[in-house]
Amino acid sequence: MHRRPVVAPSPDLATAVRVRLFAALRERAGWAERLVPLAASPTSAADLWQRLALDDGSAAGAAGLPPTIRVAINQAFASADTPLRPGDEVAFLPPITGG
Amino acid sequence: MPTPSPERPIVIKLLEAPFEPLELLAAWQRSFGAAGTAAESHFIGRVRPTTASGAPLEALELEHYPGMSETQLRAIAGAGAARHGVGAVLVAHRVGRIAPGEAIVLVAVQADRRGPALRCVQELLENLKHHAPFWKREWSGGRGTWVAGNTPL
């Protein structure tokens, strides 16, 4: 038997996903990047959006992922319903204004 | 029929410092050699001096998703080049803080004929404005405001 750590270990990428926020979304949430442990059941980006309470608080109750927010998994656009795997990089992208 | 290029040289540049689009274009043209090309189309976008609400603009800040921004630009350029059967494509895009009047984007397409060159430039520009992860913030009066959406075509 090994001892239980006194301090909860920070999640590592073997069991977690790296969540990244950009632009207005990053500033609203107050963080840019976070390691989030995956639950035992399949987790999607849409699930994480609710779990991390990333909505702007204007909707009553836990708001789902708004259609204006796009999801990228491992730096490629992906459906918000895609099941995540440990080590994935998940990004929430507010409306794009390039060029 | 347009002649598809066997190898479509796609050049993508993400630039953190001001650039001179005509110098980039000149270097790009030199890469074609003495024969030059039959048709080229170019677009240069610059930072306008006012915000979306009409206030004087101090600077435009361009945030991007490092890695994905370059990958997406390359994918967009490659798909457009294949669809229109053009030759070389050059896309240069600024990131960081950009002053009014400075170039923010350069898109250049080389082709056998004017139609594919012109159409490809327009399509690439629209696609990169909507599908490459860049975000603009306007600075005016010492305050930054994220731009909600693209200006109309």
Side-chain angles (χ1 to χ4, degrees), chain A residues 20-24 26-27 70 72 74-77 89-99, chain B residues 63-68 72 93 105 128-137 146-150:
Chain A
R20 298 185 66 175
L21 304 179
F22 290 92
R26 166 175 51 77
E27 297 199 329
R70 294 169 79 179
N74 300 326
Q75 305 197 357
F77 290 116
E89 179 172 300
V90 188
F92 292 101
L93 312 179
I96 282 169
T97 53
Chain B
E63 178 170 330
H64 71 127
Y65 185 170
M68 184 176 175
Q72 269 301 111
H93 204 300
V105 67
L128 77 85
K129 284 180 90 77
H130 293 94
H131 304 297
F134 292 93
W135 298 275
K136 288 178 179 148
R137 174 154 55 178
W146 292 102
V147 176
N150 286 305

Side-chain angles (χ1 to χ4, degrees), chain B residues 78-149:
Chain B
R83 191 156 44 244
H84 293 280
V86 303
V89 176
L90 168 66
V91 177
H93 204 300
R94 272 294 308 276
V95 294
R97 195 175 169 94
I98 315 170
E102 284 181 359
I104 179 170
V105 67
L106 165 67
V107 178
V109 170
Q110 169 269 321
D112 282 347
R113 293 189 299 113
R114 64 191 182 284
L118 287 164
R119 286 191 290 270
C120 188
V121 162
Q122 179 160 18
E123 184 184 288
L124 291 188
L125 192 65
E126 290 309 305
N127 280 341
L128 77 85
K129 284 180 90 77
H130 293 94
H131 304 297
F134 292 93
W135 298 275
K136 288 178 179 148
R137 174 154 55 178
E138 295 176 332
W139 285 93
S140 180
R143 287 184 45 196
T145 306
W146 292 102
V147 176

Side-chain angles (χ1 to χ4, degrees), chain B residues 48-57 138 140:
Chain B
R48 59 171 61 81
T50 52
T51 68
S53 58
L57 182 86
E138 295 176 332
S140 180

